Amino acid sequence: MRRILLGAAMAAMLAAGGVAPVFAQSNPFQPLVYVNDSAVTRYELAQRVRFMELLRAPDADAAASQKALVDDRLRMFAAKQLGITASDEQIDAGLAEFAGRANLGVEEFTAELARAGVERQTFRDFVTAGVVWREVVRQRVVPQVRVTDAEVDQELQKVIETPRVTHVALSELIIPAPPGQEEAAMAQAGRIVAGTRSEGDFAAFARQYSATPSAENGGRLPWTPLANLPPSLQPIILGMKPGQVGQPLRVEGAVVLFYLRDTRGTLRPGATAQVLDFVRFRLSSAEEARRIAAVSDTCADLFVHARGLPAEQISRQTLPQGQIPTGEAIRLAVLDDNESTVISYGGAVELLMLCKRQSAALAEAPEKAPVPVTAEGEAQPAADPDALPGREEVRNMIFNRKVGQAAESYLAELRSNAIIRRP
């Protein structure tokens, strides 16, 4: 539920951290705030701040850490109300999973924390709150979340209409990090990220700190094909938005920052082509056609009015736009879903209703994304950059997003209903 920034070199970072000075205080266990009669102490706050600093979390200051501790108390309170507790096995699994993000075992991880002045209990409390909250969300939030086919269609349509990035305009800033100065370089990079609000800010930092020829030009690089970038860098760049500076990247002997100025791209094949689902209903008079159209809200309603009539009088088809006769295609072009029009052919009349209009790419979207396999039957990563995600994958993505939003709303509700006071 929480987004915590973990660098690839977290283990080295933890090992390099010294014991930070605790907050000036006469009594480290003095309560700072009560949450439904559960106290958050000065010592807990000092420990949480140090823990977040070691993780290089973006919210490693005292105010954000105190809010996080308050939220943890609320999570534990909600779990207690539902009779939820975390077993030792669940907590141990949570500790192992978290430590594993730094490629460390639990004992190695806690030993590094201890060397940096963070107690094991601080780590355990942090993980325990997450463990019980996941169970709270599973019991209280998940059963209320639903994802409709229409939501899946809308999400896929966004993917289809979003140009696939082919070229990027980047600015670079490379800070030298010789042996023994890696942490100083990372700290400087962090200050640059925090201080960058525009391309002008980044350019000024590049001129001051970057050790590359591009520094004279504010770090600006020419338009570059995305395919020319290292494969490990491409997903990082694609995860950024124009006008955003990325998180510091460690490379041998340096720390690298990128600022994304702009992107260029192309639409997927089939993104602009349309497939139309429509009904033709042949009737004896324009008056009858208009009467039926007036009382029909959907294509299904037309078939109710066609009961008892010869089957050839009404038909429903789903065709690519280019395969529809020009006269009908022109009439359908101005209709929205479930709108109709009456066409008179002299002796005969046709009621034409558009059931659904969608892009050809959406109409062909698979339920599950195909997984390429080798001749030996081993799964391989998908290689087609134009391939759409499967509907099941999109449904799961929407579901997880809605669960996260609902969980945050529930936490906000707990916060508004709690008795939070300061001594």
Side-chain angles (χ1 to χ4, degrees):
M1 296 295 170
R2 307 175 191 177
R3 297 185 178 92
I4 298 175
L5 216 54
L6 293 167
M10 182 175 174
M13 174 186 68
L14 288 173
V19 178
V22 295
F23 299 152
Q25 55 192 287
S26 56
N27 178 10
F29 300 105
Q30 176 186 353
L32 289 174
V33 59
Y34 288 95
V35 183
N36 293 330
D37 295 327
S38 178
V40 175
T41 67
R42 287 183 180 275
Y43 184 72
E44 285 180 284
L45 178 58
Q47 285 279 294
R48 177 59 68 92
V49 169
R50 183 57 178 153
F51 186 45
M52 292 295 101
E53 288 174 345
L54 293 171
L55 297 178
R56 295 209 178 279
D59 50 357
D61 57 89
S65 294
Q66 184 173 125
K67 180 180 180 298
L69 285 167
V70 168
D71 286 348
D72 279 355
R73 293 295 197 276
L74 294 172
R75 294 182 177 101
M76 299 300 292
F77 175 80
K80 184 178 180 181
Q81 295 294 101
L82 294 173
I84 295 171
T85 58
S87 68
D88 289 340
E89 291 77 11
Q90 289 175 310
I91 295 172
D92 288 344
L95 294 173
E97 187 274 332
F98 195 92
R101 301 179 196 177
N103 296 318
L104 295 174
V106 174
E107 296 307 319
E108 294 174 293
F109 188 82
T110 53
E112 298 294 351
L113 289 177
R115 277 196 283 272
V118 177
E119 290 190 0
R120 183 187 182 102
Q121 189 63 44
T122 297
F123 177 35
R124 185 180 177 85
D125 290 345
F126 176 84
V127 168
T128 299
V131 168
V132 299
W133 182 243
R134 281 195 293 271
E135 185 60 23
V136 168
V137 170
R138 190 187 70 81
Q139 289 190 22
R140 193 182 190 280
V141 175
V142 168
Q144 303 175 23
V145 176
R146 297 287 183 273
V147 178
T148 66
D149 289 341
E151 289 175 307
V152 175
D153 286 345
Q154 290 171 4
E155 193 71 27
L156 276 169
Q157 191 63 42
K158 288 180 185 178
V159 174
I160 292 166
E161 293 174 352
T162 301
R164 180 170 56 82
V165 174
T166 58
H167 292 73
V168 293
L170 295 170
S171 295
E172 65 176 357
L173 193 160
I174 299 179
I175 303 172
Q181 298 182 30
E182 295 90 350
E183 293 310 313
M186 282 295 293
Q188 180 62 62
R191 289 191 289 271
I192 291 172
V193 171
T196 298
R197 296 290 181 271
S198 65
E199 182 188 350
D201 292 338
F202 189 85
F205 284 127
R207 293 188 184 96
Q208 183 176 359
Y209 297 107
S210 189
T212 61
S214 64
E216 296 181 1
N217 195 32
R220 289 174 67 94
L221 299 174
W223 280 96
T224 305
L226 182 69
N228 288 4
L229 298 178
S232 60
L233 183 59
Q234 292 179 23
I236 296 174
I237 299 301
L238 289 175
M240 297 167 58
K241 297 179 180 179
Q244 182 180 2
V245 59
Q247 291 300 316
L249 303 175
R250 290 178 185 262
V251 299
E252 186 175 356
V255 174
V256 181
L257 289 170
F258 287 108
Y259 180 91
L260 182 60
R261 303 194 308 272
D262 203 354
T263 62
R264 290 175 183 163
T266 58
L267 291 174
R268 286 175 167 79
T272 57
Q274 293 184 349
V275 172
L276 305 185
D277 176 15
F278 63 99
V279 171
R280 295 187 185 97
F281 192 1
R282 293 190 178 276
L283 295 158
S284 58
S285 69
E287 181 181 0
E288 183 182 14
R290 284 191 288 269
R291 179 186 64 79
I292 292 176
V295 295
S296 298
D297 296 324
T298 68
C299 288
D301 294 340
L302 297 182
F303 285 86
V304 174
H305 293 285
R307 287 174 182 168
L309 297 177
E312 59 268 19
Q313 278 193 237
I314 189 168
S315 65
R316 181 169 181 169
Q317 288 182 289
T318 301
L319 294 172
Q321 200 171 28
Q323 296 181 18
I324 301 173
T326 302
E328 292 181 342
I330 292 173
R331 296 298 187 98
L332 290 168
V334 299
L335 299 180
D336 292 327
D337 290 1
N338 297 311
E339 283 189 339
S340 60
T341 185
V342 176
I343 306 173
S344 177
Y345 295 102
V349 173
E350 186 174 88
L351 173 60
L352 199 64
M353 177 176 277
L354 177 65
C355 310
K356 188 174 184 179
R357 182 193 307 277
Q358 61 182 338
S359 71
L362 178 59
E364 297 168 2
E367 186 63 30
K368 293 184 179 180
V371 179
V373 296
T374 65
E376 293 75 20
E378 297 178 356
Q380 295 291 318
D384 183 4
D386 296 321
L388 287 173
R391 294 181 65 87
E392 182 180 345
E393 179 184 346
V394 172
R395 188 181 300 275
N396 289 337
M397 180 188 69
I398 297 171
F399 181 82
N400 291 334
R401 183 173 65 209
K402 293 176 77 171
V403 167
Q405 292 169 345
E408 288 300 316
S409 296
Y410 179 43
L411 184 60
E413 179 185 332
L414 290 170
R415 193 180 299 117
S416 65
N417 293 334
I419 301 174
I420 300 175
R421 61 186 177 85
R422 298 183 184 277

